[in-house]
Amino acid sequence: DAGITQSPRYKITETGRQVTLMCHQTWSHSYMFWYRQDLGHGLRLIYYSAAADITDKGEVPDGYVVSRSKTENFPLTLESATRSQTSVYFCASSENRGTGLFYEQYFGPGTRLTVT
Amino acid sequence: AQKVTQAQTEISVVEKEDVTLDCVYETRDTTYYLFWYKQPPSGELVFLIRRNSFDEQNEISGRYSWNFQKSTSSFNFTITASQVVDSAVYFCALSAVLNYGGSQGNLIFGKGTKLSVKP
């Protein structure tokens, strides 16, 4: 199906475990993003990627690792999960049509992660 | 620093009422974009509108309209004749230039306004 998908949709893990959240988009968008959504904080950027093999930190990157070997995939890994990483994680993608042109981001359905 | 403020945390209206969701932003950029997203109870984020800083024309799409006023740094969203299906959290967002290349932006989100439309 066309669009942006995330897996798993729900995940429960224990403190200290490594967990990877997957994101896949079929639009060939250059940019991809990971946000977390927490009550009282809204959505905050964790990492983003401008293209394959180009990634950079956002507002709250600590404890997370990303990679982007293919344009369509942008996995997010929690190296050693902590309870403070319990959140809803959204992946998004966006076109890149030129400098200074900010296009809307399209979001995946989200992954609800609980760290016990 | 860039910031988006949605002062209304929750709004409750009765169906068919008009409702306006406020959004005030702060930025030093001369060129920027503003967005509205809807997050219904099912949880997904749905893009509603994108507006650039040089276009101050109001926009209307069906029952939805947006009023952009640069002078007051506001980008308000009005739903006319609200319906129960409009119940959702609505987010206003501002573009921010990312470190790399500057050709695309991160979104700085407000904390959202939860709209409840009662029958």
Side-chain angles (χ1 to χ4, degrees):
Chain A
D1 289 347
I4 183 165
T5 56
Q6 293 181 236
S7 61
R9 295 292 313 279
Y10 302 90
K11 177 75 177 178
I12 300 174
T13 192
E14 294 177 344
T15 300
R17 298 247 183 178
Q18 182 181 80
V19 61
T20 296
L21 310 183
M22 304 301 293
C23 178
H24 175 79
Q25 53 106 355
T26 60
W27 293 305
S28 298
H29 284 169
S30 298
Y31 279 82
M32 295 187 76
F33 307 82
W34 274 106
Y35 293 87
R36 59 178 290 174
Q37 183 177 27
D38 305 288
L39 279 174
H41 290 282
L43 286 103
R44 294 177 292 174
L45 182 68
I46 305 170
Y47 268 95
Y48 69 95
S49 169
D53 298 322
I54 300 175
T55 63
D56 204 351
K57 297 177 181 179
E59 181 185 353
V60 289
D62 293 343
Y64 303 95
V65 174
V66 294
S67 62
R68 194 166 175 208
S69 57
K70 294 183 178 181
T71 300
E72 61 267 28
N73 297 326
F74 190 39
L76 175 74
T77 298
L78 288 67
E79 294 185 296
S80 179
T82 65
R83 288 183 182 169
S84 65
Q85 292 178 309
T86 293
S87 186
V88 180
Y89 292 84
F90 285 97
C91 178
S93 71
S94 181
E95 294 184 75
N96 176 12
R97 296 184 193 170
T99 300
L101 298 175
F102 295 85
Y103 282 82
E104 58 273 16
Q105 295 179 18
Y106 291 95
F107 286 79
T111 293
R112 184 174 294 274
L113 176 68
T114 302
V115 183
T116 62
Chain B
Q2 288 157 311
K3 186 178 176 182
V4 175
T5 301
Q6 294 180 256
Q8 304 149 309
T9 306
E10 291 193 40
I11 300 176
S12 183
V13 299
V14 177
E15 208 170 18
K16 297 185 183 177
E17 282 186 34
D18 298 347
V19 57
T20 295
L21 310 181
D22 297 333
C23 172
V24 174
Y25 62 91
E26 296 175 29
T27 182
R28 292 180 184 173
D29 293 341
T30 54
T31 301
Y32 51 89
Y33 287 76
L34 294 160
F35 304 80
W36 276 94
Y37 283 83
K38 174 182 180 180
Q39 187 174 41
S42 51
E44 71 273 23
L45 281 154
V46 179
F47 165 73
L48 296 178
I49 190 171
R50 162 182 170 262
R51 175 54 52 90
N52 77 52
S53 54
F54 294 109
D55 183 1
E56 289 195 64
Q57 280 191 343
N58 289 339
E59 174 119 2
I60 298 174
S61 176
R63 297 183 296 107
Y64 295 173
S65 62
W66 291 269
N67 180 256
F68 176 34
Q69 292 195 340
K70 221 168 171 178
S71 60
T72 56
S73 297
S74 65
F75 187 42
N76 296 337
F77 173 30
T78 297
I79 302 174
T80 302
S82 60
Q83 300 176 3
V84 173
V85 293
D86 295 326
S87 296
V89 179
Y90 290 88
F91 292 96
C92 181
L94 168 68
S95 62
V97 175
L98 290 167
N99 297 330
Y100 172 78
S103 63
Q104 182 51 287
N106 172 33
L107 294 179
I108 307 294
F109 282 87
K111 294 188 178 179
T113 297
K114 182 177 181 180
L115 174 64
S116 298
V117 181
K118 303 197 183 303

